[in-house]
Amino acid sequence: MGIRCVAVYESYQLKQFTDLGLAEPILRAIKTEGYTAPTPIQAQAIPIMMSGKDMVGIAQTGTGKTAAFVLPLLHRISELRDRPIANHCVALILAPTRELASQIADSIRTYGSAMRVSVAIVVGGVKPGGQIRMMARGVDVVVATPGRLLDHVQTGVIKLDRTETVVLDEGDQMLDLGFMPTIRKIMAKLPKKRQTVLFSATMPQQIRSLADDFLNQPSEIAVTPTSKPIELIN
């Protein structure tokens, strides 16, 4: 499953969100938020994810990568007619910290405000009861930190055998925090036929190895932020 037939994009043709084929409720929500033109990472990643291909994205904070994977996930959910199955999720997003997991979940609710979408935040540092009750009904998207997710998987609270898409966000941060053994255990619980997307600010050898082991001929995109984060602070 090594990275072959890889395309690295350093430039992009500016498009409007309306050119990307996203479902109407999503377009309505992002218009309400005042967004019209996608960032480079969004313009490149959204069509790839909507095609169902695996992908590696090299992108730093400030490039708009959260919307780059949240919007196509919501589009996929909008196409589903069946409600989530108890203890299962359609999509899984792994993040290194509970703060980032919460931010991602907020983005899902914002961009999915005009459609029915359920999201569960599964993180450590809080009592598990609420997470267990939420998962009992089944959800569209689980946003999780690896340690707490593995705890729930091992007890059967969360089942991943029907998950269609998994996104690993901030892969190099999860490497720095020592999550790679846990991530490998989680990936082993996912179906072999799935879409896997990996975002990382850098591509150290261990992240490349993870991509080689779990992604199937992914497309690779790389962008740099249009502005450094400090320049965006008013």
Side-chain angles (χ1 to χ4, degrees):
M1 291 189 179
I3 297 182
R4 298 183 294 274
C5 301
V6 171
V8 179
Y9 301 89
E10 294 181 350
S11 61
Y12 74 106
Q13 182 178 1
L14 182 63
K15 298 179 179 180
Q16 301 295 306
F17 277 112
T18 52
D19 297 328
L20 297 177
L22 293 165
E24 190 278 333
I26 301 171
L27 293 175
R28 201 185 329 149
I30 59 180
K31 182 179 180 180
T32 300
E33 293 299 309
Y35 304 144
T36 56
T39 66
I41 188 71
Q42 293 162 3
Q44 296 170 35
I46 289 172
I48 293 172
M49 284 194 64
M50 288 175 64
S51 75
K53 283 182 60 65
D54 288 4
M55 186 186 74
V56 173
I58 312 300
Q60 297 179 351
T61 299
T63 57
K65 63 180 174 57
T66 300
F69 61 78
V70 167
L71 296 181
L73 283 181
L74 289 173
H75 178 81
R76 171 60 181 149
I77 291 167
S78 74
E79 296 179 323
L80 298 176
R81 296 182 180 180
D82 297 332
R83 294 191 56 78
I85 301 172
N87 301 109
H88 288 77
C89 61
V90 176
L92 168 66
I93 302 171
L94 289 175
T97 66
R98 61 184 182 182
E99 291 80 12
L100 180 56
S102 179
Q103 291 171 18
I104 294 170
D106 287 343
S107 295
I108 294 171
R109 296 186 186 104
T110 297
Y111 302 141
S113 60
M115 55 182 282
R116 294 180 63 184
V117 58
S118 54
V119 56
I121 304 175
V122 176
V123 297
V126 297
K127 294 181 179 180
Q131 299 169 8
I132 293 171
R133 288 190 294 273
M134 185 75 178
M135 289 308 306
R137 300 190 294 268
V139 297
D140 294 309
V141 186
V142 166
V143 188
T145 50
R148 176 57 65 88
L149 175 66
L150 184 60
D151 290 343
H152 284 320
V153 169
Q154 291 175 333
T155 59
V157 169
I158 298 177
K159 302 180 187 298
L160 300 176
D161 56 297
R162 293 176 179 265
T163 300
E164 298 181 8
T165 301
V166 58
V167 177
L168 289 81
D169 192 22
E170 304 288 2
D172 51 356
Q173 285 192 36
M174 288 194 279
L175 171 63
D176 291 342
L177 292 171
F179 282 131
M180 282 304 148
T182 301
I183 290 173
R184 289 186 177 276
K185 292 178 182 178
I186 291 169
M187 298 298 282
K189 300 292 185 180
L190 290 157
K192 290 184 178 180
K193 187 177 181 180
R194 65 174 188 268
Q195 181 183 36
T196 307
V197 176
L198 170 64
F199 279 97
S200 184
T202 60
M203 188 57 71
Q205 183 54 45
Q206 285 179 275
I207 295 293
R208 176 66 68 181
S209 176
L210 188 73
D212 288 342
D213 291 346
F214 295 111
L215 278 71
N216 182 24
Q217 295 186 322
S219 296
E220 182 173 331
I221 59 178
V223 301
T224 55
T226 55
S227 299
K228 295 179 181 178
I230 191 66
E231 295 172 351
L232 301 177
I233 297 174
N234 184 358

